[in-house]
Amino acid sequence: MKKIILVLLVASSQLLYAQTETDIRSHYNEINKKIQESVENGYEGSLYNNHWETNKNGKSWPAVGRYSEITDFWYEDDPNHLPDTERNPKNVLLKVNVTRHSSHLTTNEEYLYKDGKLLFWFSSQAEEGSTWETRVYFNSKGVMFKSSVKANEKELTAKDLTTEEYKDLKPDPAAIMANGKEYQELFVKSML
């Protein structure tokens, strides 16, 4: 009987994580669809976009050489137009896309939000023929419940991430969460 209860508890906790991951994927796909519609339809799209470009003219960057960065903030309403009762401007931000080119390294990051909370972070990097991808899922309390890391299309295990070769690829949920909050703050400061 105790074994059955234990199996049910483990299965239900796994089901909760699967539902959360499924919900996040659904939200991610919905937001990406809205972004695509907004890009295709311009001002008739359902989302707004603030586009920041760093080093637009491509001049050499100190200690790096070639460097550029593009940050896109995707949001559903101007925070200044919210009624005072709904005045949390962070809640309108849905996604931040960041693309960096630094010397031979290209990095793409995505931060996905819902109701002002970071739910998902994705990073892809490419340098001289090598590629890395990282996905991190957060619950509504900001706790990482799943991550996935690939190096050159090979899924890395927890044991792989302890080796000297891959230890730098292990996700740091606290740093990701801090970066996500920093982007929210930058967005809000730019709008208010």
Side-chain angles (χ1 to χ4, degrees):
M1 183 68 175
K2 288 181 182 179
K3 288 182 182 180
I4 292 173
I5 292 173
L6 180 62
V7 168
L8 287 174
L9 285 174
V10 170
S12 66
S13 70
Q14 292 298 324
L15 183 60
L16 286 174
Y17 286 135
Q19 288 173 339
T20 303
E21 182 180 347
T22 300
D23 290 344
I24 291 171
R25 286 177 188 255
S26 176
H27 181 62
Y28 179 84
N29 291 333
E30 176 186 334
I31 297 306
N32 282 342
K33 182 179 176 188
K34 287 181 177 183
I35 289 171
Q36 187 61 38
E37 289 171 358
S38 296
V39 168
E40 290 172 0
N41 299 325
Y43 68 90
E44 296 293 331
S46 60
L47 297 181
Y48 300 98
N49 173 242
N50 289 358
H51 179 87
W52 294 359
E53 224 170 315
T54 303
N55 202 20
K56 181 177 181 176
N57 297 323
K59 297 278 186 185
S60 182
W61 200 262
V64 178
R66 184 185 108 171
Y67 181 82
S68 66
E69 181 173 306
I70 295 173
T71 306
D72 283 299
F73 296 88
W74 292 96
Y75 56 102
E76 58 190 346
D77 199 0
D78 185 329
N80 295 307
H81 297 165
L82 295 175
D84 288 341
T85 57
E86 300 172 22
R87 193 118 176 97
N88 185 350
K90 293 178 183 179
N91 288 355
V92 301
L93 182 63
L94 297 171
K95 190 172 180 190
V96 177
N97 292 343
V98 182
T99 302
R100 285 184 206 91
H101 298 283
S102 174
S103 215
H104 296 290
L105 177 66
T106 299
T107 304
N108 293 299
E109 289 182 306
E110 299 177 13
Y111 296 83
L112 180 71
Y113 303 90
K114 187 172 186 179
D115 299 324
K117 294 178 173 46
L118 180 64
L119 296 180
F120 176 71
W121 177 75
F122 171 74
S123 173
S124 67
Q125 297 181 337
E127 182 178 40
E128 299 177 353
S130 294
T131 60
W132 305 272
E133 282 188 1
T134 306
R135 289 171 176 78
V136 177
Y137 298 83
F138 295 95
N139 66 20
S140 61
K141 294 187 182 357
V143 176
M144 179 182 81
F145 69 86
K146 182 178 179 179
S147 67
S148 166
V149 180
K150 291 183 181 179
N152 296 317
E153 300 185 23
K154 175 192 171 206
E155 184 81 31
L156 300 180
T157 65
K159 185 177 179 182
D160 291 334
L161 293 171
T162 63
T163 66
E164 192 63 33
E165 181 180 7
Y166 296 122
K167 71 179 182 179
D168 291 340
L169 298 178
K170 184 176 181 178
D172 181 351
I176 294 167
M177 191 62 68
N179 289 338
K181 287 181 183 185
E182 187 174 314
Y183 279 114
Q184 280 180 310
E185 290 169 13
L186 287 171
F187 167 73
V188 170
K189 286 177 184 176
S190 75
M191 296 297 290
L192 301 176

